[in-house]
Amino acid sequence: MASGGPSQAVQLQAGLQTELRALPGLLKAMGMLAMTHEEVHQATEHLLAENPVLERADGHPCPGCGRHVASGSCSRCRGHSTTSRFDDGVEQGVDPFGTLQSAARLEVRADCRDALDLVLAHLTRRGILDAGPAEIAGLHGLEPGQVGEALRAIRAAGPPGIAAASVTELLAAQAAALAGQGQAPYWLPRLVREHLGDLAAGSTAAVARAMGLTEAQVLAGLALVRERLRPFAAADTEPEAAAVPPADVFLYRQPDGTLEVEVPASAWFGLTVVDLSAGLPASAQAKQWLAEHELAAQRHLYQIDRRASALLRITECAVAHQKAFLDHGAGHHQPLTRTAVAQEIGLHPSTVSRAVSGKRLRMPTGAVTDLSCLFGKATAARAALQDLLTTAAPGLSSDEHLREALAGNGFAVARRTVNKYRRSLQPGN
């Protein structure tokens, strides 16, 4: 058979190049499949700090599940009084500025207390002013001096950066607090005020020249910014406590009794890729920098979504098999292997094993358990044996008696297997 012409060869080469470009993303997505939610969260936070093209929308994690929301709780958790299972480093259900008003009222002059309440109303959730002092004075018919006194009292009573005019000013105030405590170099506030944009663009050498520092010092300052400063007013500037992550997979019971599976995808984290082209110079180097950062951000979202898609398919298949178990308890658990699920949904068994390993499942009741609870061959038999051990009359609890009782309940189990299960259920006996 005659081979194709040059045009066919060009098409084949173009297709191969497209596949090769996609390959790193596919490989990384497969690697992310084995990651827990906490590990995905950490990777996302690292990229948010490194890549200015990737941003998180304004808001905060839902106190109930960790989903990114604009305010309050998400629609799934709203109205439920279950204890919060997600911790983003700040105690949930506590207004971070709840004591600020009372503390500032002790600090402010008596003739400015009414102005204080008006100025406090202009603090955003991050603790930043949503208007300038002159605008606040004009809006409420206050004297500039009254607004100034209210701001002084708020800043004296509140955490570093409170009532700042911008995120940059807030971070600079936190940096100044660290420097004042001897926990950061004296030049860190200036680095934050004047060169955050340059640092985000990776221009550490230029920043070093402008500030008369070595590049190593600039990199050390950047590390402090990432580790110790926060884009919101916080009561302290200690390193943030490790977050307690939500489960990898969520199971919800609908009003009609059906079960719905949800796996956090990129939208769960509130992530978006922003367009920075308008603020960049029209040079080839700037365009290449932007293209590389956009690709890295889009690839990360793709990897999160591929992980979520695979986990969703696997869990939905397992839940369909284990409906009776999820409705009525361990005695109704059906034998199910990872290989069987892999064959049913068209994935390789090793892919299913990687996806399930180490993952956590939140049940409709709010309890969190291992995702592997949906798999196994002997869960129901072990549950039946546990019931027999609890209710068996004296003299009727030998391995042989228990084997016969299990057989009567439909579980064909060898006597030695009964003994093995029994020892695991009663380790002290």
Side-chain angles (χ1 to χ4, degrees):
M1 180 181 293
S3 61
S7 62
Q8 184 178 359
V10 170
Q11 291 174 353
L12 288 172
Q13 184 177 5
L16 179 61
Q17 290 175 343
T18 300
E19 291 182 7
L20 289 175
R21 282 196 298 270
L23 184 58
L26 289 170
L27 291 175
K28 287 187 176 181
M30 293 301 291
M32 188 172 280
L33 183 61
M35 296 169 66
T36 65
H37 182 95
E38 181 177 10
E39 290 167 340
V40 174
H41 172 76
Q42 290 173 349
T44 299
E45 293 302 311
H46 177 75
L47 193 61
L48 282 167
E50 294 283 344
N51 192 338
V53 174
L54 184 66
E55 286 190 359
R56 177 177 283 130
D58 287 340
H60 61 94
C62 169
C65 63
R67 184 198 318 268
H68 191 81
V69 292
S71 62
S73 301
C74 72
S75 58
R76 290 193 184 275
C77 297
R78 198 170 297 133
H80 293 277
S81 59
T82 54
T83 303
S84 168
R85 288 178 174 80
F86 184 85
D87 179 12
D88 66 345
V90 178
E91 184 179 354
Q92 297 296 338
V94 177
D95 180 357
F97 308 133
T99 61
L100 178 61
Q101 182 177 26
S102 57
R105 286 181 73 84
L106 295 174
E107 178 73 27
V108 75
R109 291 200 320 260
D111 62 322
C112 295
R113 285 176 182 163
D114 290 340
L116 173 68
D117 294 339
L118 294 171
V119 174
L120 282 169
H122 285 275
L123 288 181
T124 68
R125 183 177 177 82
R126 291 179 180 270
I128 299 172
L129 289 174
D130 63 7
E135 185 179 355
I136 294 174
L139 285 171
H140 302 289
L142 300 172
E143 294 294 329
Q146 292 177 304
V147 175
E149 169 61 13
L151 289 174
R152 183 201 65 76
I154 292 170
R155 289 164 182 162
I162 191 71
S166 65
V167 172
T168 299
E169 184 179 312
L170 182 150
L171 294 174
Q174 294 179 4
L178 286 177
Q181 297 164 7
Q183 299 181 36
Y186 70 90
W187 43 261
L188 187 65
R190 179 188 167 198
L191 179 73
V192 172
R193 280 195 304 271
E194 300 178 8
H195 297 291
L196 274 185
D198 297 328
L199 292 175
S203 304
T204 53
V207 173
R209 289 193 298 271
M211 293 192 62
L213 303 172
T214 66
E215 192 166 357
Q217 287 176 305
V218 172
L219 290 171
L222 179 58
L224 279 172
V225 170
R226 290 171 177 163
E227 294 170 6
R228 303 296 300 276
L229 306 189
R230 306 175 189 175
F232 54 87
D236 59 69
T237 51
E238 291 301 315
E240 198 166 345
V244 178
D248 297 271
V249 182
F250 291 77
L251 198 55
Y252 299 100
R253 191 175 297 281
Q254 300 304 307
D256 62 359
T258 59
L259 293 168
E260 181 185 354
V261 180
E262 183 179 24
V263 181
S266 58
W268 174 285
F269 296 92
L271 301 176
T272 184
V273 178
V274 297
D275 184 6
L276 299 183
S277 57
L280 290 178
S283 65
Q285 184 179 5
K287 290 179 180 178
Q288 181 181 357
W289 177 90
L290 180 61
E292 290 174 352
H293 283 75
E294 285 179 340
L295 179 60
Q298 291 164 353
R299 182 170 288 167
H300 186 73
L301 301 189
Y302 167 78
Q303 291 159 9
I304 293 176
D305 291 339
R306 283 294 297 267
R307 172 188 181 271
S309 176
L311 265 175
L312 180 66
R313 291 175 60 198
I314 292 166
T315 308
E316 284 181 336
C317 179
V319 166
H321 284 274
Q322 301 294 3
K323 179 69 163 57
F325 160 62
L326 294 165
D327 287 344
H328 306 295
H332 298 267
H333 193 283
Q334 300 299 309
L336 184 66
T337 65
R338 291 159 176 77
T339 299
V341 168
Q343 291 174 345
E344 187 169 332
I345 63 177
L347 292 177
H348 195 279
S350 65
T351 300
V352 175
S353 294
R354 285 200 306 275
V356 174
S357 178
K359 304 304 190 297
R360 302 285 282 169
L361 170 68
R362 193 169 89 165
M363 297 293 211
T365 60
V368 179
T369 186
D370 291 335
L371 181 60
S372 59
C373 74
L374 300 177
F375 299 87
K377 294 183 177 182
T379 301
R382 290 168 63 89
L385 178 59
Q386 179 68 71
D387 290 340
L388 289 171
L389 290 169
T390 303
T391 60
L396 296 177
S397 59
S398 68
D399 291 344
E400 181 58 26
H401 280 110
L402 293 170
R403 185 197 66 77
E404 292 174 357
L406 285 172
N409 289 331
F411 300 106
V413 180
R415 186 176 62 81
R416 63 179 177 274
T417 304
V418 172
N419 182 265
K420 181 177 72 173
Y421 292 167
R422 182 177 189 166
R423 282 186 282 110
S424 67
L425 293 170
Q426 297 179 320
N429 296 334

